[in-house]
Amino acid sequence: MKLRVRATKIGKVRFTSHRDAARMWERALRRAGLPVAFTEGFTPRPKISFGLALPTGAESIAEYVDIELQREIAAADVDLDTLPARLSDALPTGFDVLVAAEREPGVDSLQEAVTSCTWELWSPLLTAADHLDACRLLEPAELVLERERKGKRSADDVRPMILDLRPDPSGDRLVADLVTIGRALRPGELAELAYPHIDARDVRALRTHQWLDHDGMRHEVLALPADVDARTQWVLA
Amino acid sequence: MSTLWARIEPLLARVQKPARYIGCEDGAITPRHDKLDGGDVVAWLLAYPDTYEIGLPNQGLQILYEILNERDDALAERTYAPWADLDHEMRAAGVPLFSVDTHRAAGEFDVLAFNLSSELVFTNVLNMIDLAGAPVRSAERDADDLFVLVGGHAAFNPEPLADFIDAAVLGEGEEVVSEITEVLRAWKAAGRSDRESVLRELSKIPGVYVPAMYEVTYEGEHIAAVQPRYPDVPATVDKRTVADLGEWPYPKHPLVPLTEVVHDRLSVEVFRGCTRGCRFCQAGMITRPVRERPAEQVRTMIREGLRSTGYDEVSLTSLSTADFSDIEPVVRGILDDAKEIPGACDTMTINLPSLRVDAFTVGLAGEVNNGRRSGLTFAPEGGSWRLRKVINKLITEEDLYGAVESAFSQGWTRMKLYFLTGLPTETDEDTLGIAELAKNCVAIGKRYTNRASVTVSLGGFVPKPHTPFQWFGQNTDEELRRKINMVREATRRMNGVNVKWHDPAATTAEGITSRGDRRIGRVIERVWREGGLFQEWGEHFDLDRWAAAMEAEGLSLDWYVFRHRDEHEILPWAHLTAGLHHDFLWGDWLDALAESGVEDCRWTPCYDCGVCTGYGIEHVVASPIAPAGGSQGTGQDLSHGGDVPVTLLPTRREPAGAST
C-alpha cells in the first residue's frame, strides 16, 4: 500500500536542508520499523518521495511525504490513527506528523499535483503597516524581479505568481498565496519585493498549506483533522 | 545559564550550512542545567577545533560527552569551530562561542576541552578560546575564566600550545575526566581561590600535564632541561590507558546528525591499540597495548545502535579491523541481526576501515558490502620491500597482488593505494617502485575488467613524537615535490593509473607544530592573528604565512623541521611519555636504518617496549594465535593461520647512517 503523510518542520530544524530532511525520514522510517518498499537494482533505496522542496530556513506545517510500503502489506495492517505518533517519535524534535492517509492508486505525485502554497511572512523588524504596504504589490499589472538561478540572470514578471496577499487577523504577519507551477516565486524573493527597506534574510517564512486544483476549486492535499491544531505546534518554535 | 539562541538565530540566516550550528541530533543530551543551581557542578564544553562535519562523528568526544553527563557533579555540551562566515557574523554581532546543545555562551562553562586529532587545527584552538571571550594566553586568565584543556593524539606533544592551554591530557579520557571533575568541583566549592593552586592540584592527576608547572631552559637553540616547579609535580607525565575496553561500552547513545557529516554511519570501536609496529605511525605507538572489545558486546552495541539510530550502515573501527580475533563470527552475527530489522537487510552495509593488505581481508570485505563495490583502499605505504622493512610495514608484493587480484575477481574495479613519501632512507628507486606497483595492479585488474583503475595517493611523511622516527629530519617541500613529480612522470603513460597527492607545503607546516617546542607557540599565535584559520583546508592554507611567522620570531624551518636529531638531544616532549622506553624507540630507529623488521607482539614474544610492563597492563585478545590469511603483514607465509608458528625476523643489526 501507499501512504501520504503531512508533517511539520518547525523550530531549530528549519535550518536543515531538503536533502537533510530526506535522510532524516529514511532513518525515521527504519527506526519506526515501517516495512518500506525498496527500489530494485544495485543500490536499493526506500521508495519515499517528497513534495515541493522547502527552502532552508523556512518553516512549515504542511510538508508532505509519500511512502510506499512493501507489496505484501495490506491497508488493514497499518493503523493510520497511531501512525502519526509512531513516526513523530522516530523523527527529530520539530518534525511532527500531523495526519496520515492511504494514497489511492493513480493519484498524481506531489510535485505534479500541487498548484499553489500559502505562506506566512513576518519579522521582528516589521510592523502591521509594513504588511499592509506589502499588499499593494497586487496593484500593478506587472512586477519585474531580477533574479539569478544557476548562474543565469533574468528579469521575470512575477505578478502572475502572486494569487493573493493579505495581513493575518493579528496584523503581524503577511499571508501570501503563491503559484507553484513553472518558475515559482520563492518566499524569500517575495520578501525582497515586499519589504525593500530591510534585509530579506531577516524575514521568517512559514508554509501553512499546499493546494490542489479540482473543478476550479482548491483543496488541501491532506486537511488537518478537527482535533489537530497545527498552530500549537508552531508556538513551540 | 541562559540560551543565546535568539541572538544566534538571525546570524544563521546569513551563513552557509546553518544546520551545523543547531544541535538537535538524536542522542544529544539536554543537560540538566538545574544541576548547576544545586551546587558545585563542573560544566564542560567539549570542543572540536574543526567544522561540525568533521567533528561530530569523533568518537572520543561522544564518549566523554556521555560519561560526563552521567555524573551528578558534571554536565557536558559540545561546540565545533564556526566556519569563517559565521565567525565574522558572530564577531560583528558580539555573539561569543556557543554550545550546540542548548546554545549557551562558552564563558558560562568551567572547562573548554579540545579534542586534537591533528596539528594544523592549532590556530583554530586559539581562535575558539578568543571567541569564547577568554584571554588566549593561559597566564592572563584568572579564577573566573575557563580552564582550557586539550586531549587526543596531537596532545602527545602539547608544547607548541603550552602558553595557551591550562592542561593537556595524555592518552584515554574515560577515567581521567572524572578525576579532573572532582578536583575542579572541590576548588569551586572552596570558593575558586587562585588559579595556580588548582593547576598544581590538576598536575598531580596521572595523565594530566600542566605546562605552567614546568620550567623549560634552553642552551642556545637546544632545550637544556624541563623541570617541575614544585616538588609534588611529577617529573614525567605518563599517559592514561583503560585496561579493559569491555568496561566502557560507549557511546551508548550515538549522535545522529541532522546534516551530512564525514562518517555518517554508526561506529563501533572493536579494539584499541595496535602492535603491528609501523614505525611512522604515531597512533600505533601511543595506543598500546591491544585491547579487544568482547565480541558479544560488539554485536550488542551494533544491534542496539542500529535500532536506535536508524542507520543502515555500521563501521567497525580500530587501527586494523581485520586483526580483530572474532571478526568473522561478529560479521555473521551482525548480518543475522539485521534480518530482524524491517528493510535493513536490503541495504545494510558493514564498513571495515583500515583494511589489511591481504586476500582474507578482501574476502571479508566482499561478504559485508551487500553487493556494492564502490572502491577499495590499501595502504602499502612504501614503494619497495626494502623501504617497507625500514618502516616495518611488512607487506610483500605477493600480499598486495593477492589482495588486488582477489578484489578485481570479486567485482571491484577501482582500487586506491596509499603511500607515504619522504620516509627515512627513501631512494628514487623506492619512489619509482610506487609507479611499478600501481602498473602491476592495473595489469592484474585488466584480466578481469577493462575499467580497472588504480589511484595512487601520496602523502608527505611528517615524523611524529613518541615514534622511532621522531629523530628523523623531514624532507623539504621541494624534495617532496620532486618525488611526487617523479611518480607523476613515471605513471604518465600508464593507462588506468591516477596519482593524487597531499600539498607538500601543508606537510612542512604540519612539521613545524608536530615536533615543535614552546617557542613555536608564538608562531601559532602570529599565524592566527594574521587570519590563518582552518589550515587543514586547502582553500585556507598558505605556507608563506607560516614561513613569515617563523622568520618574524627568529626561528628556523631547517632547525625545527628538516634537521635530524641525535640520541641525546632533549626532545620537547621528553618529560611526557606514552610508556615507550627511550631505549626501545632508539633501538627501533637503528633497526629501521638496518632495514630490519619486528613482529607483531600480540602473537610473538615481548620486545619490552615498556608499555605493558611499565603500566601493569597487557594485551586483551580473544585469540592468542594469528588469524588465517596472507602474510598478515609479517612478511611470512601465514596462509594457514595459527598452523604456522610465527618466528622472529633477525633484529638489531649494526646501524647504517641515516640518510634521506
Side-chain angles (χ1 to χ4, degrees):
Chain A
M1 87 178 279
K2 293 178 181 177
L3 293 170
R4 176 167 285 178
V5 301
R6 173 171 173 174
T8 67
K9 183 184 182 189
I10 270 180
K12 290 179 178 177
V13 298
R14 72 187 175 96
F15 290 113
T16 59
S17 69
H18 187 66
R19 263 170 53 89
D20 292 336
R23 274 198 310 275
M24 276 176 245
W25 275 95
E26 285 187 22
R27 286 195 302 262
L29 292 170
R30 279 194 295 267
R31 287 164 67 182
L34 217 60
V36 178
F38 279 83
T39 60
E40 303 289 316
F42 223 46
T43 50
R45 304 303 318 161
K47 286 190 175 173
I48 49 181
S49 59
F50 301 86
L52 303 164
L54 186 68
T56 303
E59 290 166 278
S60 177
I61 53 168
E63 292 311 286
Y64 291 96
V65 185
D66 284 347
I67 303 158
E68 185 174 337
L69 298 183
Q70 287 165 18
R71 203 183 302 270
E72 60 272 20
I73 308 294
D77 298 337
V78 181
D79 182 351
L80 292 175
D81 292 335
T82 56
L83 190 61
R86 188 171 156 201
L87 289 173
S88 298
D89 282 350
L91 283 160
T93 307
F95 289 89
D96 275 296
V97 176
L98 301 170
V99 56
E102 186 178 356
R103 185 183 157 203
E104 302 298 335
V107 168
D108 281 349
S109 78
L110 290 163
Q111 289 280 7
E112 294 162 347
V114 173
T115 54
S116 68
C117 291
T118 303
W119 296 88
E120 291 185 9
L121 270 56
W122 76 100
S123 167
L125 305 178
L126 295 171
T127 63
D130 292 320
H131 296 308
L132 280 174
D133 275 354
C135 296
R136 299 174 65 182
L137 288 178
L138 290 170
E139 291 168 10
E142 198 184 61
L143 202 57
V144 176
L145 174 70
E146 275 201 41
R147 51 186 176 177
E148 189 176 317
R149 241 177 251 178
K150 292 176 183 164
K152 275 189 190 162
R153 288 204 69 82
S154 63
D156 306 317
D157 175 17
V158 295
R159 178 60 190 83
M161 301 296 155
I162 307 174
L163 296 175
D164 189 34
L165 298 173
R166 58 194 179 276
D168 82 338
S170 73
D172 296 335
R173 296 182 180 211
L174 179 72
V175 180
D177 293 322
L178 302 180
V179 173
T180 57
I181 305 293
R183 188 168 173 188
L185 180 65
R186 296 177 179 186
E189 291 167 342
L190 175 62
E192 278 178 41
L193 290 168
Y195 315 110
H197 60 294
I198 66 166
D199 190 328
R201 293 175 297 185
D202 287 320
V203 178
R204 301 272 297 265
L206 171 77
R207 175 147 70 189
T208 56
H209 305 276
Q210 297 196 38
W211 303 102
L212 310 171
D213 272 343
H214 281 307
D215 316 320
M217 291 278 287
R218 67 178 197 181
H219 304 266
E220 256 296 21
V221 179
L222 283 182
L224 294 180
D227 60 332
V228 174
D229 180 6
R231 290 206 168 244
T232 60
Q233 312 267 350
W234 97 71
V235 168
L236 291 175
Chain B
M1 284 203 175
S2 62
T3 177
L4 292 175
W5 176 251
R7 289 172 63 199
I8 295 164
E9 197 171 18
L11 309 184
L12 297 190
R14 290 163 162 74
V15 300
Q16 291 174 24
K17 301 185 185 175
R20 291 164 165 176
Y21 311 108
I22 62 171
C24 303
E25 302 90 346
D26 188 68
I29 299 158
T30 305
R32 292 172 296 134
H33 281 269
D34 59 305
K35 281 199 277 190
L36 282 173
D37 305 333
D40 310 307
V41 169
V42 177
W44 291 66
L45 183 56
L46 303 175
Y48 196 88
D50 204 330
T51 61
Y52 179 82
E53 294 92 306
I54 313 277
L56 185 281
N58 183 276
Q59 294 293 290
L61 200 145
Q62 291 196 27
I63 291 167
L64 300 185
Y65 178 67
E66 284 190 21
I67 290 175
L68 286 165
N69 278 317
E70 282 175 4
R71 291 182 66 92
D72 286 332
D73 59 356
L75 63 85
E77 299 201 27
R78 297 162 294 127
T79 190
Y80 307 87
W83 191 245
D85 55 357
L86 184 62
D87 185 309
H88 174 78
E89 297 286 345
M90 286 165 70
R91 289 179 186 277
V95 170
L97 184 72
F98 55 83
S99 69
V100 298
D101 298 276
T102 63
H103 296 93
R104 279 169 166 78
E108 298 198 40
F109 291 80
D110 298 304
V111 180
L112 178 61
F114 290 95
N115 179 311
L116 302 180
S117 35
S118 85
E119 291 88 351
L120 284 175
V121 299
F122 286 1
T123 56
N124 285 11
V125 170
L126 268 60
N127 193 53
M128 289 172 80
I129 300 172
D130 185 56
L131 269 178
V136 290
R137 292 185 162 267
S138 49
E140 291 164 21
R141 293 196 284 266
D142 65 27
D144 290 329
D145 283 318
L146 285 162
F147 282 89
V148 178
L149 266 51
V150 295
H153 288 185
F156 269 87
N157 175 23
E159 288 299 84
L161 290 176
D163 290 344
F164 314 109
I165 61 172
D166 293 296
V169 170
L170 307 186
E172 296 164 9
E174 279 89 344
E175 295 164 335
V176 75
V177 287
S178 291
E179 295 159 30
I180 293 170
T181 297
E182 278 155 27
V183 166
L184 291 178
R185 188 192 52 191
W187 174 74
K188 283 180 78 175
R192 301 179 80 110
S193 58
D194 68 311
R195 220 172 153 94
E196 177 91 355
S197 66
V198 72
L199 290 176
R200 191 162 161 187
E201 279 311 303
L202 287 172
S203 76
K204 295 178 198 165
I205 301 173
V208 177
Y209 168 58
V210 180
M213 294 294 117
Y214 298 80
E215 190 86 56
V216 181
T217 50
Y218 301 92
E219 237 173 55
E221 291 172 307
H222 288 276
I223 294 170
V226 181
Q227 282 161 320
R229 289 174 42 217
Y230 301 102
D232 55 353
V233 172
T236 303
V237 181
D238 283 284
K239 73 160 178 178
R240 293 296 291 266
T241 309
V242 299
D244 183 357
L245 205 55
E247 288 177 13
W248 299 94
Y250 292 89
K252 293 172 182 169
H253 307 285
L255 291 170
V256 184
L258 303 192
T259 188
E260 209 161 3
V261 298
V262 287
H263 303 294
D264 204 359
R265 59 183 85 98
L266 179 68
S267 285
V268 173
E269 187 181 26
V270 296
F271 68 85
R272 221 172 259 184
C274 179
T275 40
R276 293 205 162 266
C278 302
R279 291 172 174 134
F280 56 86
C281 178
Q282 187 190 38
M285 292 291 162
I286 62 176
T287 61
R288 296 172 172 215
V290 172
R291 287 145 295 144
E292 291 186 349
R293 192 182 291 289
E296 203 39 53
Q297 189 180 71
V298 170
R299 187 169 166 182
T300 308
M301 285 175 76
I302 292 170
R303 192 173 53 227
E304 296 307 314
L306 290 173
R307 212 182 289 277
S308 72
T309 60
Y311 277 129
D312 61 349
E313 184 175 355
V314 58
S315 194
L316 306 184
T317 65
S318 75
L319 293 170
S320 179
T321 295
D323 287 347
F324 185 62
S325 299
D326 293 310
I327 188 68
E328 285 186 287
V330 161
V331 163
R332 271 196 300 275
I334 299 166
L335 293 172
D336 282 347
D337 290 344
K339 288 180 191 140
E340 289 165 26
I341 306 175
C345 55
D346 296 328
T347 56
M348 175 74 187
T349 306
I350 304 172
N351 215 291
L352 304 171
S354 310
L355 279 184
R356 260 176 5 212
V357 185
D358 58 44
F360 163 77
T361 307
V362 175
L364 199 61
E367 277 175 44
V368 301
N369 260 351
N370 222 322
R372 291 180 215 186
R373 297 285 186 266
S374 48
L376 213 49
T377 301
F378 298 112
E381 311 286 4
S384 71
W385 173 241
R386 188 201 70 78
L387 188 60
R388 291 193 295 273
K389 283 189 291 184
V390 170
I391 63 176
N392 204 43
K393 182 111 189 184
L394 301 174
I395 295 163
T396 62
E397 283 189 33
E398 291 69 41
D399 290 334
L400 177 62
Y401 298 148
V404 166
E405 170 120 39
S406 164
F408 281 119
S409 71
Q410 288 179 61
W412 272 280
T413 57
R414 285 182 295 131
M415 226 108 332
K416 199 177 210 180
L417 301 178
Y418 273 7
F419 291 94
L420 284 169
T421 179
L423 289 163
T425 78
E426 187 177 84
T427 63
D428 287 356
E429 204 178 318
D430 298 323
T431 306
L432 289 169
I434 294 172
E436 198 61 28
L437 286 178
K439 187 178 81 181
N440 294 340
C441 288
V442 171
I444 292 169
K446 293 283 184 199
R447 297 209 292 266
Y448 297 92
T449 169
N450 263 334
R451 291 186 296 147
S453 77
V454 168
T455 299
V456 168
S457 176
L458 296 171
F461 173 59
V462 179
K464 294 283 157 127
H466 310 283
T467 70
F469 288 172
Q470 63 184 355
W471 290 280
F472 172 67
Q474 184 174 322
N475 279 195
T476 62
D477 30 314
E478 289 84 9
E479 175 69 357
L480 291 177
R481 225 166 268 127
R482 187 184 72 81
K483 289 174 176 172
I484 291 165
N485 284 334
M486 203 153 61
V487 176
R488 290 173 66 195
E489 192 56 41
T491 55
R492 194 181 302 278
R493 285 194 184 73
M494 290 180 187
N495 212 344
V497 178
N498 308 302
V499 182
K500 286 184 180 165
W501 60 93
H502 187 67
D503 177 13
T507 304
T508 295
E510 190 183 332
I512 296 171
T513 37
S514 166
R515 290 183 296 170
D517 55 28
R518 291 188 178 192
R519 293 169 290 192
I520 290 297
R522 301 200 301 267
V523 174
I524 295 168
E525 185 171 351
R526 200 175 268 274
V527 171
W528 164 60
R529 290 200 187 277
E530 300 283 324
L533 293 176
F534 291 103
Q535 295 295 286
E536 69 289 11
W537 293 71
E539 73 257 45
H540 285 268
F541 176 76
D542 182 4
L543 180 61
D544 290 346
R545 222 182 235 142
W546 288 89
M550 289 290 282
E551 200 177 323
E553 295 297 340
L555 301 173
S556 137
L557 271 176
D558 231 22
W559 199 83
Y560 275 95
V561 185
F562 307 130
R563 171 183 66 96
H564 295 303
R565 280 73 163 160
D566 72 33
E567 185 182 1
H568 303 294
E569 177 166 341
I570 297 174
L571 299 171
W573 53 92
H575 55 302
L576 311 175
T577 174
L580 301 147
H581 289 320
H582 179 277
D583 290 349
F584 167 78
L585 289 175
W586 182 257
D588 206 36
W589 171 227
L590 298 184
D591 284 348
L593 298 176
E595 298 168 17
S596 172
V598 294
E599 294 300 337
D600 189 323
C601 65
R602 95 193 80 178
W603 299 305
T604 56
C606 174
Y607 308 109
D608 196 18
C609 71
V611 178
C612 295
T613 47
Y615 296 145
I617 46 180
E618 50 192 36
H619 297 308
V620 180
V621 285
S623 167
I625 48 170
S631 77
Q632 318 287 332
T634 62
Q636 300 169 53
D637 177 16
L638 295 181
S639 50
H640 307 295
D643 299 350
V644 178
V646 180
T647 55
L648 294 176
L649 293 176
T651 59
R652 298 288 134 88
R653 270 182 249 154
E654 280 309 298
S659 69
T660 47

